[in-house]
Amino acid sequence: MPEKRFTQSKPKPTITALPKLGMDKEALTFDFKRYYSHTLGRNEQCRSPHYAYEALSLAIRDRLMERWKETYNSYKDTDCRRAFYLSMEFLMGRSLSNAMLNIGVTDEGSRAMYDLGLEIEELIESEPDAGLGNGGLGRLAACFVDSCATLQLPVMGYGLRYEYGMFAQLIINGEQVEEPDHWLRNGNIWEIERPEYAQRVKFGGHTESHIDENGNTRVCWVDTHDVLAVPFDTPVPGYKNNTVNTLRLWKATATEEFDLQEFNAGDYADSVAAKNTAENITMVLYPNDANENGKELRLQQQYFLASASLQDILANWVGRHGTDFSGFAEKNCFQLNDTHPSIAVAELMRLLMDIYGMGWKEAWEITSSTMAYTNHTLLPEALEKWSVSLFQRLLPRLLEIIYEINAKFMAQVSAHWPGDLERMARMSIIEEGGEKQVRMAYLAIVGSFSVNGVAELHSTLLQHGLFNDFYQLWPEKFNNKTNGVTPRRWLAACNPELAELITENIGEGWLTDLSQLRKLAPLAEDAKFRKRWHEVQQAAKQRLVDFKKAELGVELNVDSLFDVQVKRIHEYKRQLLNVLHVIHLYDRIKRGDTANWTNRCVLIGGKAAPGYYMAKRIIKLINNVSNVVNSDPDIGDMLKLVFLPNYRVSAMEKICPGADLSEQISTAGKEASGTGNMKFMMNGAITIGTLDGANIEIREEVGEDNFFLFGLTESEVEEMRHHYDPVSMIEQDQDLKRVFKLLECGHFNQFEPGIFDDIINSMKSSHDPWMTIADFRSFIDAQRRVKLAYQDQERWTKMSILNCAYSGKFSTDRTISDYNREIWKLTPVSVDD
Ligand code: 26Q
């Protein structure tokens, strides 16, 4: 007799009804062993920490999964309004330690591993960074989703699952060499593939229009090459609140017809090659943090993200409400992380009209009341433009819609400023004259109900400079949302000793209400507390020293001032100004001008876009100066310069607790906000900085006595441009003159003649946009004040405590509360245990 099969009678919900998993050491140990042995098939003989990392991660993931499901159901049941964060980058870094912290099993998990003879640190270190971003903008997206989950807000992140993330940086002979980052090679425990929610994305083809049964014109986009978007979901846990939100990343794969068409044409090789074309779309992250103009694949990526995400959201809506979109705008909001996903404006119009049969007016009403745009740069050369001809070839239907949006917008401009043709030309989404271009920022502004900058100064400059025409037309759209960083990763997890000292003294409320760090301020006057603070900071410096000794073989002296600049290498960020200061100190030592000296380690790290020639030369200069300085026996411990290779999220987690001085020295008006500045401040480093980006607000919070200010203001920079004469400034400043003499005589490139000529010439040019020389004297003087402050360790420690104490504003919990109060207007949804 065959066995009887009960396939029909099983009531559905019991499939996933499971007893709740334990959060104690024993439960974690049991699950760890089961995964290690039965799932991964390893035993004691296996020496690699990778499998232990995987086993522990699987055990943690199970606990996330329970809460993820609950969160999903809570959102569904409450039918709440939601926001979607659309971003080409999510620089998540590592997940294990963050997940353990947020579900509250850091101690139990560490003890479980310890009792098994495993070092939790080693497991944590074996996780590769999810480096799906370039820098600030990508890491901001990651901090945002952390804070959204912590604030119990129904927000989902949408992005791309790049097969290759940000390249790994090697330094060979002082130069950057890029190595591909195949971060998925050993699998990714933290993602769940959901092929059942795959979406189809169109490219190419042409449009046809016809009259439908109701007499309305309908457009069909036909003869397209379609690509399948397959979602991979990553859980995003809130801090100890049972909320687990979703980050959904799309992977591009070939459709079945794609294979068949080519296959039937008879060429197997062509068919496989065609598959590659489709799958190339999410193959690699573009490693430039400024607009590399015109790359077709980049536009494909942008549209792929926008289209797949919007189709997903609309399919979900239709699944629950049918094709009645009357309540859609009340329930949904899209935040565009820069212009990169701004094609979403046109794509939502297309989907509502062409797929769901809506008229223009109704579709525009929905689109322009659900889209919100965040700008991250003022540099005009970084503003995205796409040639109309590329658009026509790749996304013909989208181009039609953009033209229509622009025609209606131009009519509005003309009504507001009758006869002002210049203004119309300035504001047009389509740039005329020469090759026609689509201005993506203008599309984003026209299509959004909110436009924000990322720090007060930046937002002001957007309103009065870059986007002034739009601000005059729609002042109510413009607002500021000063950036932040998540205090869970950037204080609690990366600096546990400091976190513990803080908690011992003011309780643990600061973890979700960072303004409570203010309670530390009075303790700056307590000598015993200062002593503890200093000890913890020295221990963090020692850990950094040990890491760098193991990684690079360099010996740093913990008693010297750790002076740190880590960020992308960019001329506007002025790593060169930092190098000029190092050369100046070197020159002073060589001249014997060392009375009252303070030993200093200058640490500089960051990646250059592979095609950015000047940035790569700056890296070479830093390394060459480093070689000369560090190998000179006259210099010894008085001065060290070290380039920190392969700067990334997990590197910053080790660097920021060990920094004394945070270098935030961009040309005023150029750094939109900066976020590294906030991480350093939170960990008690003191900033030397210009009045740029969020530095201004940092100084406001901590007070001028606890911040080393230097340099021209934004308006002074703009004024000086007209008569900027760096050559005579060099001539008139004896210190600067000697620094340039060393550079120009080839002191740092003895056997590499001429390699720094371009750098030298750029600084000496009266057209140098970054005006490095203009701020030299002021910078050197500020560094002298730094040194004097550091010599009084009691004073320095006070300043350090106060920097941490007044860093509360720079939590992304505050930033996200601001976004929510003023833009998203979501109601928090609590998730039951
Ligand atoms: C665009 C088109 C084609 C290829 C690449 C790009 C591209 C990619 C990344 C353009 C820009 C970026 C990243 C920009 C960025 O990170 N900006 C930084 O954003 C931070 C968060 O708001 C700010 O703190 C920084 O000041 C800002 O520089």
Side-chain angles (χ1 to χ4, degrees):
M1 275 287 276
E3 222 179 305
K4 200 171 172 197
R5 294 163 69 187
F6 294 94
T7 49
Q8 293 308 309
S9 58
K10 229 182 226 170
K12 255 189 178 167
T14 57
I15 301 176
T16 54
L18 285 160
K20 201 157 178 270
L21 296 170
M23 303 295 277
D24 52 359
K25 191 186 83 179
E26 288 67 34
L28 290 170
T29 304
F30 180 84
D31 286 358
F32 171 87
K33 286 181 177 174
R34 192 163 43 80
Y35 280 120
Y36 192 78
S37 161
H38 293 6
T39 304
L40 303 173
R42 310 288 138 168
N43 61 19
E44 281 72 14
Q45 267 75 65
C46 177
R47 305 302 313 155
S48 162
H50 170 76
Y51 297 101
Y53 151 72
E54 284 208 328
L56 179 59
S57 297
L58 286 165
I60 299 298
R61 191 183 77 178
D62 288 348
R63 275 107 188 132
L64 289 176
M65 207 63 87
E66 297 180 320
R67 291 157 182 80
W68 205 358
K69 218 176 81 181
E70 283 304 316
T71 306
Y72 176 86
N73 288 331
S74 302
Y75 293 165
K76 206 171 71 182
D77 297 346
T78 54
D79 191 26
C80 50
R81 176 175 163 85
R82 291 166 192 230
F84 303 93
Y85 199 75
L86 271 53
S87 177
M88 292 284 285
E89 306 190 5
F90 284 91
L91 235 185
M92 301 297 281
R94 291 172 175 155
S95 290
L96 175 58
S97 52
N98 186 249
M100 287 174 56
L101 177 73
N102 281 13
I103 63 172
V105 298
T106 300
D107 289 347
E108 300 287 320
S110 310
R111 279 199 207 110
M113 295 302 101
Y114 181 85
D115 291 350
L116 292 169
L118 296 166
E119 186 75 74
I120 186 109
E121 279 307 323
E122 202 191 355
L123 308 196
I124 288 170
E125 282 289 313
S126 75
E127 179 176 359
D129 277 36
L132 307 185
N134 275 286
L137 166 151
R139 182 55 230 178
L140 186 74
C143 286
F144 276 11
V145 290
D146 178 276
S147 281
C148 289
T150 295
L151 292 167
Q152 305 189 306
L153 296 176
V155 176
M156 187 165 164
Y158 273 108
L160 296 181
R161 181 183 178 274
Y162 302 107
E163 207 76 35
Y164 291 86
M166 188 62 198
F167 64 81
Q169 178 193 54
L170 306 180
I171 299 298
I172 296 176
N173 187 30
E175 284 179 291
Q176 167 173 300
V177 173
E178 299 95 18
E179 216 170 53
D181 165 45
H182 196 190
W183 70 295
L184 295 166
R185 189 166 27 227
N186 298 317
N188 175 12
I189 293 291
W190 304 104
E191 67 184 11
I192 304 286
E193 182 174 1
R194 301 204 185 278
E196 67 274 30
Y197 298 123
Q199 302 292 340
R200 198 174 252 278
V201 179
K202 296 173 182 237
F203 290 99
H206 62 271
T207 63
E208 289 172 355
S209 49
H210 63 97
I211 308 293
D212 72 7
E213 60 275 16
N214 304 319
N216 300 317
T217 307
R218 297 284 291 263
V219 179
C220 288
W221 182 8
V222 296
D223 286 341
T224 51
H225 291 276
D226 297 359
V227 179
L228 217 54
V230 180
F232 286 69
D233 289 353
T234 299
V236 180
Y239 182 71
K240 295 184 180 172
N241 64 2
N242 290 312
T243 294
V244 176
N245 281 342
T246 301
L247 171 61
R248 176 162 286 186
L249 303 180
W250 300 101
K251 174 192 165 109
T253 69
T255 60
E256 279 154 48
E257 307 93 82
F258 213 112
D259 295 348
L260 278 175
Q261 262 174 25
E262 300 287 336
F263 195 79
N264 292 340
D267 195 327
Y268 175 75
D270 279 0
S271 127
V272 176
K275 214 177 157 82
N276 273 332
T277 326
E279 298 184 347
N280 263 341
I281 292 178
T282 51
M283 194 56 70
V284 60
L285 166 79
Y286 273 89
N288 16 309
D289 66 343
N291 187 12
E292 180 176 310
N293 242 322
K295 287 280 186 331
E296 176 168 348
L297 182 60
R298 171 76 180 185
L299 183 58
Q300 288 178 346
Q301 291 184 336
Q302 296 184 348
Y303 180 63
F304 184 77
L305 167 64
S307 183
S309 309
L310 290 173
Q311 288 188 64
D312 193 39
I313 294 159
L314 291 182
N316 189 270
W317 178 268
V318 171
R320 291 185 301 138
H321 303 84
T323 52
D324 173 8
F325 287 95
S326 54
F328 186 82
E330 269 159 52
K331 295 281 188 184
N332 297 283
C333 180
F334 306 100
Q335 192 72 41
L336 307 175
N337 198 18
D338 215 301
T339 51
H340 315 157
S342 63
I343 187 65
V345 168
E347 176 65 1
L348 184 56
M349 290 297 290
R350 185 187 74 84
L351 293 169
L352 293 175
M353 296 189 301
D354 299 358
I355 308 297
Y356 296 106
M358 201 176 281
W360 181 279
K361 207 165 161 267
E362 203 189 338
W364 184 250
E365 186 54 46
I366 289 177
T367 301
S368 58
S369 57
T370 52
M371 295 281 166
Y373 157 55
T374 304
N375 173 283
H376 296 265
T377 182
L378 281 155
L379 307 182
E381 65 270 29
L383 290 182
E384 268 194 295
K385 290 174 192 175
W386 293 104
S387 82
V388 164
S389 62
L390 174 59
F391 244 101
Q392 175 63 48
R393 185 156 55 75
L394 207 63
L395 305 169
R397 178 58 181 138
L398 283 294
L399 185 63
E400 287 176 1
I401 292 170
I402 291 170
Y403 265 98
E404 189 67 32
I405 293 172
N406 196 42
K408 293 184 155 66
F409 171 57
M410 285 293 104
Q412 247 181 301
V413 173
S414 162
H416 200 268
W417 289 286
D420 193 344
L421 298 179
E422 266 181 45
R423 198 182 294 253
M424 284 178 65
R426 273 205 314 267
M427 296 180 78
S428 174
I429 298 171
I430 307 295
E431 181 179 277
E432 315 262 349
E435 228 216 308
K436 283 198 207 173
Q437 309 256 319
V438 183
R439 295 160 163 164
M440 300 308 278
Y442 294 3
L443 176 64
I445 297 171
V446 172
S448 299
F449 67 92
S450 166
V451 176
N452 75 281
V454 290
E456 291 288 352
L457 173 69
H458 172 230
S459 297
T460 304
L461 293 173
L462 286 180
Q463 291 166 25
H464 298 114
L466 204 55
F467 298 151
N468 182 252
D469 287 322
F470 294 87
Y471 178 63
Q472 287 182 38
L473 185 60
W474 295 311
E476 68 286 351
K477 279 194 193 189
F478 286 78
N479 63 93
N480 173 251
K481 296 287 167 283
T482 298
N483 282 168
V485 303
T486 170
R488 270 75 63 186
R489 182 177 296 260
W490 296 113
L491 183 49
C494 75
N495 203 347
E497 290 76 8
L498 194 65
E500 200 184 307
L501 176 61
I502 294 169
T503 300
E504 266 171 33
N505 283 273
I506 66 168
E508 58 182 14
W510 61 273
L511 274 148
T512 49
D513 172 12
L514 205 65
S515 68
Q516 290 189 26
L517 289 179
R518 272 175 194 282
K519 295 183 205 158
L520 292 170
L523 292 167
E525 300 304 321
D526 175 342
K528 259 174 49 201
F529 182 77
R530 279 204 302 273
K531 182 161 175 288
R532 287 284 297 122
W533 189 273
H534 180 70
E535 284 164 2
V536 168
Q537 295 245 298
Q538 286 299 110
K541 285 172 77 174
Q542 185 61 52
R543 269 199 308 280
L544 182 55
V545 168
D546 296 343
F547 268 122
K548 290 301 151 189
K549 169 87 181 125
E551 186 193 19
L552 308 171
V554 295
E555 305 264 5
L556 304 176
N557 178 351
V558 273
D559 294 322
S560 48
L561 167 65
F562 281 19
D563 172 344
V564 187
Q565 184 178 27
V566 284
K567 51 184 77 245
R568 288 300 288 258
I569 309 293
H570 241 290
E571 288 164 282
Y572 84 79
K573 294 178 189 279
R574 296 199 299 193
Q575 280 90 1
L576 282 176
L577 183 56
N578 198 352
V579 175
L580 294 183
H581 173 241
V582 172
I583 297 173
H584 164 68
L585 292 179
Y586 168 78
D587 173 61
R588 280 184 53 194
I589 298 170
K590 295 302 274 185
R591 287 186 294 107
D593 177 14
T594 57
N596 206 15
W597 192 262
T598 295
N599 294 347
R600 205 188 267 255
C601 294
V602 178
L603 309 177
I604 305 179
K607 292 173 182 175
Y612 188 172
Y613 164 80
M614 280 300 242
K616 289 186 139 177
R617 271 297 141 97
I618 292 167
I619 290 176
K620 174 68 171 159
L621 176 64
I622 298 165
N623 280 290
N624 277 23
V625 173
S626 163
N627 281 336
V628 170
V629 169
N630 299 353
S631 62
D632 187 332
D634 296 349
I635 305 296
D637 270 358
M638 286 199 277
L639 179 62
K640 288 266 182 283
L641 171 61
V642 176
F643 187 86
L644 306 175
N646 203 26
Y647 176 62
R648 61 201 189 283
V649 172
S650 60
M652 184 55 153
E653 288 167 3
K654 296 168 187 123
I655 294 165
C656 72
D660 293 308
L661 184 66
S662 158
E663 298 266 356
Q664 308 300 336
I665 60 179
S666 53
T667 312
K670 301 300 170 192
E671 187 71 270
S673 160
T675 44
N677 47 2
M678 302 168 183
K679 295 165 198 168
F680 282 117
M681 180 196 198
M682 219 172 262
N683 284 274
I686 301 160
T687 308
I688 181 165
T690 49
L691 287 176
D692 200 14
N695 295 352
I696 297 173
E697 292 157 74
I698 286 177
R699 180 164 169 269
E700 257 163 36
E701 293 295 302
V702 75
E704 57 181 288
D705 293 347
N706 301 304
F707 184 106
F708 298 101
L709 178 68
F710 76 96
L712 300 174
T713 63
E714 187 274 332
S715 55
E716 288 166 348
V717 165
E718 292 317 313
E719 197 284 321
M720 190 183 274
R721 275 192 204 292
H722 308 296
H723 50 89
Y724 182 45
D725 185 359
V727 173
S728 71
M729 285 175 159
I730 294 168
E731 195 50 45
Q732 283 159 35
D733 186 314
Q734 295 314 302
D735 289 328
L736 186 51
K737 197 170 170 181
R738 280 191 298 270
V739 166
F740 265 76
K741 216 164 170 184
L742 284 170
L743 276 169
E744 290 180 323
C745 79
H747 190 74
F748 304 106
N749 52 322
Q750 293 227 352
F751 304 102
E752 301 164 302
I755 60 166
F756 299 130
D757 289 359
D758 292 325
I759 286 183
I760 294 166
N761 292 334
S762 76
M763 286 191 287
K764 291 172 81 172
S765 162
S766 60
H767 303 295
D768 174 19
W770 322 116
M771 304 194 9
T772 304
I773 299 306
D775 280 342
F776 177 84
R777 180 41 48 194
S778 168
F779 184 55
I780 299 301
D781 292 347
Q783 288 286 19
R784 197 177 276 272
R785 299 199 302 275
V786 167
K787 171 202 102 156
L788 291 172
Y790 192 75
Q791 284 174 350
D792 180 352
Q793 284 282 302
E794 292 292 337
R795 175 177 165 212
W796 188 273
T797 304
K798 256 185 224 180
M799 292 173 78
S800 168
I801 295 166
L802 292 176
N803 266 271
C804 176
Y806 294 117
S807 67
K809 175 175 178 184
F810 306 105
S811 166
T812 35
D813 297 347
R814 189 273 312 151
T815 310
I816 290 298
S817 303
D818 291 351
Y819 273 89
N820 192 46
R821 192 176 53 257
E822 290 161 19
I823 305 174
W824 303 341
K825 303 184 193 304
L826 310 172
T827 309
V829 177
S830 55
V831 179
D832 292 338
D833 199 351

